Amino acid sequence: MAEHEDREHFIPFRKAEIVDMVCADGGLPESDQGEFRSFCKILQSLYHFEFHDKVEGLKDNYYPFNPDKDTKTVRTWSPSELDACEKSLVDSFQGLLEDANYAQITEADLERAMKEESLFHISLFVDFNDFHSNLLFWRGSTTHRVEIKKWWVKKVEIDVDVYERVVLLVKFKDEAYFKAKKRQIAFQPGSMLIKLFKNIPKADLEMLFPNTQVRMKPKDKAIMSAWAITGLAGVIGKASAGIIAALVVLWGIIRTFGDGQALDPK
């Protein structure tokens, strides 16, 4: 059997359709297809209950960190209990994603995304020290043909490498950490966020993080400086023209009134 190292584990078909395709393939006798379908239903039920148990465990461990709770509780968690919940949640969540044929986005992938040219021409910075833990997984890789503007005028088409699905989990550090850094933040310290995204350009992974900051690249600073200098030169040019015009008028007044002609009553 041929090996394909670059092939994804994900099979992009529904379970019911896969069962139909196996039966229609011709390798399974028609007399055995009924038993095969019954076996698939039993297997599906076993996985359903196993998955339900995992989801309930994830919910229980996520609850203390959920920044958007819609239920109340009388329970309090000690620091050691919170650490245990976080570790169990991260480990279980990672295992669940791997079972769902997601692959982890490595630090090298993130560094590459930080360095590559963004589709939106925006330089973003992510301070990973803000996180107590973080996970980033992807499933499905493709290329999209998109139209962009070049130099704000010309439209060109380019190929963009895209992750079809991206899952993000981040757990922020506590309030004391952000107070020490004197940071203005738009999220709740100590909370945890889990988000699912679709069709994310590989060069723009940093835009998914909730603590992303906009920063200018050296090239952008050079362009802005050139614009500032050009604008200042224009202002100075206009001001100089006005000064010269004023001097011409003033010289004309002096020439007119200086020799007494304008004061002659005749």
Side-chain angles (χ1 to χ4, degrees), residues 9-21 101 139:
H9 295 287
F10 176 59
I11 301 175
F13 292 98
R14 296 171 56 246
K15 296 187 296 292
E17 195 166 349
I18 293 175
V19 173
D20 290 338
M21 287 190 292
N101 295 309
R139 189 178 75 183

Side-chain angles (χ1 to χ4, degrees), residues 103-116 136 138 163 202-206:
Q104 187 165 9
I105 295 174
T106 64
E107 291 185 8
D109 295 328
L110 284 172
E111 289 179 4
R112 194 178 307 113
M114 300 288 187
K115 294 177 181 178
E116 287 184 359
L136 200 60
W138 68 275
Y163 288 126
K202 293 183 180 181
D204 290 314
L205 286 173
E206 67 270 33

Side-chain angles (χ1 to χ4, degrees), residues 178-190:
F178 292 102
K179 280 187 175 180
K181 296 190 72 174
K182 298 180 180 179
R183 285 264 306 278
Q184 294 290 333
I185 56 177
F187 46 81
Q188 180 180 331

Side-chain angles (χ1 to χ4, degrees), residues 88-107:
S88 179
L89 175 63
V90 172
D91 292 344
S92 299
F93 193 68
Q94 183 169 352
L96 188 66
L97 289 172
E98 290 172 350
D99 289 343
N101 295 309
Y102 279 78
Q104 187 165 9
I105 295 174
T106 64
E107 291 185 8

Side-chain angles (χ1 to χ4, degrees), residues 5 55 192:
E5 295 183 357
V55 169
M192 182 181 290

Side-chain angles (χ1 to χ4, degrees), residues 186-202:
F187 46 81
Q188 180 180 331
S191 64
M192 182 181 290
L193 298 178
I194 300 176
K195 292 184 176 293
L196 175 65
F197 302 91
K198 290 179 60 178
N199 297 327
I200 301 299
K202 293 183 180 181

